[in-house]
Amino acid sequence: MGGAAADGTLGTISGVVVPTCENMWGVLIFLRFFFVVGYAGVGQALIIVFISFLSAFFTTMSLAAMATNGPVEAGGAYYIISRALGHKLGGAVGCMYYLGLSLLAVLEVLGAVEVMLYVEPALEMGIGPEGAIRIWAIFLTSGISLMVWGGMKLVSQLGLFFAAVVGLTLASYYAGLAAAPLPGVSPSVTGLSAKTLNDNWGPGYSDGVTFSDVVSVFFPCFTGILSGANRAKALKEPEKSIPHGTLAAITISLIMYTSYMILWGAVADREYLKHGPGHGYAYGTRHLLAGGGGESLSVVTEIAWPMALPTQIGIIIASLSQALQCLISAPRVLNAIAADGTVPFLVCAAPLNAAGEPAFALFMTTGLCLCACMIGSLDMVAPLLSICFLTAYAALNFSTFVLGLTRAPSWRPTWKYFHWSLGLAGFLVCTSLAFIIRWYFSLVAVALLGALVAYIESRQVQVDWGSALGGIRL
């Protein structure tokens, strides 16, 4: 199951930069960036990109410090968190990270379905878009799970193919934005114009869409930054590759996201970016997926170069490839939590099959994803997974802040660029972003964390390893 590389064989680029970029460059780039610019304006869109980047940057600095403070074993990011925060808080935060990975798989599948229904309306099968979305999402999620279950060699061999598809699809967007307007497109597409950019600079919120909404559909673009840590055992030099590779990946992504926001803001008028060529598609309910993407997906048709259909197919493949990566990583995280015994009710996910793979953890993850597919809306899943990831990021940053500030005896990172103030800044940025996205979901996440910690405490879980925070007495 999966397709992991042999231990200690991957370098920085193949082991960290490429998979991290692949996990960040998902469906939202293709289907929601023009929406973000249309409502938030170029100015606020760039602010959203930069603040999201800051959360990723500070978290990467904390991750770099932890990765150079000792070995990173199976479980990757979960191992880092649990060994720093202890088994109680670490187990609870690991669960949040696992939920985020699972929901990210669902988001990518829903994005793929959105494009499928737009390209071929007959796929609705006469049951309406809402029902078709759920049915196709369940079908695709099940198919991907089966690939992970039995297609180890196939999944491994398809890695370069998926990366090429993502690259070509991104290039199609760049080429189309540069070449706009193409013949026969809406007159609202002005082509790259300083006047259009100026007109679209400020915000234009309407239809019930708020700043929180646009943040929620952008932030998942920075949720793949722990991919390097999750592959630590396959890296030749994880203490070097994880920091440098992750920083390179988020910097490349920052540049790309910024360029797309500026190009979208300069290529067409605001109403086109909001609603598509028809200018009549209403977003008041925020269920953008309700009609298989609606008129807004015509933007992709009119901008993609040289032809729309190959780009649309590329979006579908790119989305499903990221879902595949999530369904490889999430069961491994769940298995690591279960194997540690930190969360007793998950112990059933600890056994491995004859091939040494977490088969039952995959089964549990697939069940969770199938249930989440019933949400049926990419835009409703996005804030949920964002808050799950932000909770994990905040915990990483908080742990390094406390460890650095108290100068714990076990805290000796060799990453020379870290200071405890970076951990504090990361904790504040991640927490603020979570409450900006959905304050009530953030409160639920905090309550869930508290309930998990209380549960672990009530079960008097004992582990045979200590933690960096465990030896601190304030």
Side-chain angles (χ1 to χ4, degrees):
M1 182 182 74
D7 290 359
T9 61
L10 298 179
T12 301
I13 294 178
S14 60
V16 181
V17 177
V18 172
T20 301
C21 287
E22 282 184 334
N23 276 270
M24 288 194 291
W25 298 352
V27 69
L28 296 176
I29 297 175
F30 308 115
L31 302 185
R32 292 296 183 268
F33 273 20
F34 52 85
F35 162 83
V36 170
V37 174
Y39 283 97
V42 177
Q44 287 193 11
L46 295 178
I47 291 173
I48 292 169
V49 172
F50 185 67
I51 294 175
S52 299
F53 167 77
L54 284 181
S55 73
F57 172 77
F58 290 134
T59 304
T60 299
M61 296 299 283
S62 293
L63 178 69
M66 287 185 166
T68 58
N69 191 56
V72 181
E73 299 181 3
Y78 162 72
Y79 182 90
I80 295 175
I81 295 171
S82 61
R83 268 52 178 181
L85 295 179
H87 67 282
K88 298 173 187 175
L89 186 54
V93 171
C95 289
M96 297 300 295
Y97 177 56
Y98 163 74
L99 287 174
L101 281 173
S102 301
L103 289 174
L104 182 57
V106 174
L107 179 140
E108 295 297 330
V109 170
L110 290 172
V113 174
E114 178 173 334
V115 181
M116 288 169 53
L117 294 183
Y118 176 82
V119 172
E120 183 50 72
L123 292 176
E124 289 187 13
M125 302 175 291
I127 60 175
E130 289 81 4
I133 288 164
R134 295 179 174 90
I135 288 175
W136 280 107
I138 290 172
F139 175 78
L140 291 175
T141 301
S142 300
I144 293 171
S145 179
L146 288 175
M147 285 186 65
V148 177
W149 177 277
M152 180 173 63
K153 292 183 179 180
L154 176 62
V155 170
S156 180
Q157 293 169 354
L158 286 177
L160 289 177
F161 168 72
F162 289 144
V165 170
V166 173
L168 290 173
T169 307
L170 291 169
S172 173
Y173 269 63
Y174 273 122
L177 289 167
L182 298 174
V185 303
S186 168
S188 298
V189 181
T190 64
L192 297 180
S193 164
K195 181 181 183 303
T196 304
L197 181 64
N198 184 66
D199 291 342
N200 290 333
W201 189 262
Y205 296 109
S206 60
D207 309 317
V209 177
T210 66
F211 180 76
S212 296
D213 294 323
V214 293
V215 174
S216 73
V217 297
F218 173 79
F219 181 78
C221 295
F222 274 111
T223 56
I225 65 172
L226 301 183
S227 300
N230 287 333
R231 291 165 172 78
K233 289 190 69 177
L235 300 174
K236 294 178 183 178
E237 298 179 288
E239 70 282 356
K240 293 182 179 180
S241 294
I242 292 174
H244 292 102
T246 307
L247 284 173
I250 65 172
T251 302
I252 293 169
S253 299
L254 170 67
I255 295 170
M256 185 178 74
Y257 298 160
T258 299
S259 67
Y260 270 127
M261 296 302 179
I262 294 173
L263 291 172
W264 277 117
V267 81
D269 68 35
R270 186 182 301 277
E271 291 303 312
Y272 180 89
L273 297 176
K274 288 182 179 180
H275 304 137
H279 287 195
Y281 188 72
Y283 286 77
T285 63
R286 289 291 297 131
H287 287 189
L288 301 179
L289 192 56
E295 184 68 21
S296 65
L297 265 181
S298 295
V299 173
V300 179
T301 302
E302 295 195 346
I303 295 296
W305 183 91
M307 297 173 60
L309 184 59
T311 301
Q312 291 163 339
I313 294 174
I315 295 171
I316 295 171
I317 294 174
S319 303
L320 295 179
S321 71
Q322 186 171 11
L324 177 64
Q325 294 299 322
C326 292
L327 280 177
I328 291 173
S329 299
R332 296 184 184 278
V333 174
L334 177 61
N335 175 257
I337 297 171
D340 267 350
T342 52
V343 185
F345 68 79
L346 294 178
V347 70
C348 56
L352 301 176
N353 63 14
E357 299 291 348
F360 197 77
L362 173 63
F363 174 78
M364 293 176 64
T365 302
T366 302
L368 173 63
C369 291
L370 292 178
C371 291
C373 285
M374 298 306 294
I375 296 174
S377 170
L378 179 157
D379 300 279
M380 292 179 68
V381 172
L384 295 175
L385 76 90
S386 294
I387 289 170
C388 289
F389 276 107
L390 283 166
T391 302
Y393 291 1
L396 272 172
N397 287 296
F398 177 76
S399 62
T400 55
F401 159 60
V402 173
L403 290 167
L405 183 63
T406 58
R407 299 183 180 180
S410 60
W411 182 243
R412 295 290 185 270
T414 59
W415 179 248
K416 61 182 179 180
Y417 303 107
F418 181 80
H419 186 266
W420 62 262
S421 60
L422 295 176
L424 175 60
F427 172 72
L428 294 175
V429 170
C430 292
T431 303
S432 298
L433 268 176
F435 277 85
I436 287 172
I437 290 173
R438 293 289 187 274
W439 65 266
Y440 43 90
F441 284 160
S442 298
L443 291 176
V444 171
V446 172
L448 179 59
L449 272 177
L452 284 169
V453 171
Y455 167 73
I456 296 170
E457 175 68 26
S458 70
R459 294 298 299 270
Q460 298 182 337
V461 174
Q462 301 295 322
V463 295
D464 58 2
W465 43 265
S467 67
L469 287 182
I472 297 176
R473 294 293 182 267
L474 299 177

